[in-house]
Amino acid sequence: MADSLHVYSFSTDIVPVVDRHELWRNRDWPAIGPMFDTRPQGMFHNRSDSFRLRDVVVHVSDMAAQVYARETAHIRKDSFDQLLVTIPMSGVMRGDSDGRDVRNSRGMLAVTDLTRPHRHISSDSRTIMLTIPRATAIAADFDIDVLHGFDMHGATVDLLRAHVEAIHHNVALLTADQTAALGESVMLLLRLALQSGGGVRTRGALPGDADQGLMWRAKHLIGQNLGSQDLSVKQLCRELHVSRSVLYRVFEPLGGVAGYIRTKRLEAARDHLGDIAMRDSVAGIADRVGFTDPAHFSRAFRAQFGSSPREYRHRIHGERRAPGPYWDD
């Protein structure tokens, strides 16, 4: 007799409310909890099933409202190298994928590259999620460089959702021997959905995809290396295997490559200054985000945000704290 398909089921229903989120967050793979830093919005609950269809892992989850974030520090300390495909059956998600606004609700599909920054807030929801290893996505000809933050809707998304729902509904009747074929069927429908959406996100399908993909790859490199003194147009061209003229053309709508890097460094500095746990001096923060001259940093920060770094820090945190070196310009 063939082995049945194993399902990893989880529920917080009989767990004390105070322990629910921590229990969910610390589950072993396959689970969504460890992928994100999360903050519940109200009383937490979760009921979910996860099962493997060869390389694809399917998650069907009833989840309380939460804030989700994958920042650079989180990405560096874990080993998740997958695409996360999210298809809500109820609820709404709004967020930002490495600078791209994302909205996802019933009837839509959204893609997150787990190696890139992402934030969103979700209402109470019932959601289908697919986690797909990068190598599997590449083998299926997905252009993973342009999929981060991609969202779409349409008949092919409905077809994919209905197919995965049917598999979940019948999961108790399925066998381990059937997982390869079922996984292939899910990947084929996902590929069809991505090809037939409002923008094709498979490799080489649209004339504009190359520039868009280059921009997102460059943004990712910039975000990973803001504090490096080696971050430059020359270094980006070397890493991305493009000429200066191509990189300049792609970043022209954003004010140029150097302007974009400067803006991102200043925004990162602003985030550090607003972090009450950050004990670095203003000069230390300037160095942390790639400014070697504190005076130049202060002038640039004032020009960008209308106040000096020190003034901004005091305004955010107030002046009730005892003076210390981290307040100094």
Side-chain angles (χ1 to χ4, degrees):
M1 182 175 180
D3 293 335
S4 60
L5 176 60
H6 184 69
V7 180
Y8 302 83
S9 296
F10 176 83
S11 175
T12 59
D13 288 354
I14 61 172
V15 179
V17 172
V18 69
D19 297 325
R20 289 179 177 180
H21 180 254
E22 191 70 11
L23 182 66
W24 171 82
R25 189 173 66 86
N26 290 312
R27 290 178 62 205
D28 293 330
W29 177 254
I32 298 298
M35 293 179 176
F36 296 92
D37 291 322
T38 50
R39 187 174 71 252
Q41 303 294 288
M43 186 179 297
F44 182 81
H45 67 266
N46 176 252
R47 291 181 296 278
S48 61
D49 289 334
S50 300
F51 50 92
R52 298 175 184 270
L53 300 179
R54 200 170 182 178
D55 294 335
V56 180
V57 181
V58 178
H59 314 264
V60 181
S61 177
D62 290 286
M63 176 65 73
Q66 285 203 113
V67 175
Y68 297 78
R70 267 186 78 78
E71 306 294 357
T72 300
H74 191 130
I75 292 168
R76 285 175 175 168
K77 71 183 181 183
D78 67 33
S79 59
F80 290 115
D81 190 13
Q82 296 139 319
L83 297 183
L84 175 65
V85 178
T86 308
I87 309 172
M89 292 177 280
S90 66
V92 176
M93 178 194 88
R94 295 185 179 89
D96 173 276
S97 288
D98 206 5
R100 184 177 189 182
D101 290 337
V102 176
R103 177 185 171 88
N104 199 13
S105 58
R106 179 175 171 80
M108 297 186 69
L109 173 154
V111 184
T112 304
D113 184 339
L114 294 174
T115 67
R116 298 174 63 178
H118 172 85
R119 298 180 183 182
H120 77 265
I121 183 169
S122 176
S123 66
D124 283 12
S125 60
R126 178 171 173 81
T127 308
I128 291 170
M129 291 168 282
L130 311 174
T131 48
I132 302 165
R134 185 173 302 274
T136 301
I138 292 172
D141 292 328
F142 296 167
D143 189 345
I144 55 176
D145 293 324
V146 303
L147 281 174
H148 187 52
F150 175 67
D151 56 59
M152 59 168 289
H153 60 85
T156 52
V157 175
D158 292 339
L159 184 62
L160 173 62
R161 175 187 51 76
H163 182 59
V164 177
E165 280 190 285
I167 294 173
H168 180 236
H169 181 72
N170 293 284
V171 72
L173 306 176
L174 301 174
T175 68
D177 292 340
Q178 296 170 322
T179 58
L182 290 169
E184 183 177 353
S185 70
V186 170
M187 286 296 295
L188 286 171
L189 286 173
L190 175 59
R191 192 176 191 279
L192 179 64
L194 295 177
Q195 286 177 322
S196 60
V200 177
R201 291 297 184 251
T202 49
R203 193 171 299 277
L206 284 179
D209 276 353
D211 280 0
Q212 193 71 11
L214 174 60
M215 178 183 287
W216 288 332
R217 292 198 303 274
K219 285 182 175 181
H220 180 55
L221 277 174
I222 290 168
Q224 293 284 336
N225 295 280
L226 279 180
S228 172
Q229 300 305 315
D230 295 329
L231 180 60
S232 64
V233 172
K234 181 179 179 180
Q235 179 66 18
L236 288 171
C237 289
R238 183 182 301 116
E239 293 282 344
L240 296 166
H241 306 289
V242 297
S243 67
R244 286 175 177 265
S245 60
V246 169
L247 196 63
Y248 287 151
R249 185 191 75 239
V250 169
F251 273 83
E252 185 177 2
L254 302 180
V257 186
Y260 178 83
I261 292 173
R262 183 176 61 253
T263 297
K264 287 301 172 182
R265 282 174 161 163
L266 290 170
E267 290 175 350
R270 180 185 59 185
D271 291 343
H272 289 318
L273 290 164
D275 184 354
I276 198 167
M278 174 64 68
R279 309 296 292 183
D280 288 9
S281 67
V282 170
I285 288 175
D287 183 68
R288 179 187 287 265
V289 299
F291 285 91
T292 57
D293 183 348
H296 171 65
F297 166 65
S298 291
R299 290 193 297 271
F301 191 93
R302 184 183 290 277
Q304 184 80 8
F305 301 116
S307 63
S308 74
R310 185 174 185 272
E311 291 167 345
Y312 179 83
R313 182 176 241 172
H314 275 289
R315 185 170 73 250
I316 296 299
H317 298 309
E319 298 189 34
R320 295 189 298 275
R321 301 178 65 166
Y326 58 96
W327 290 103
D328 298 334
D329 281 324

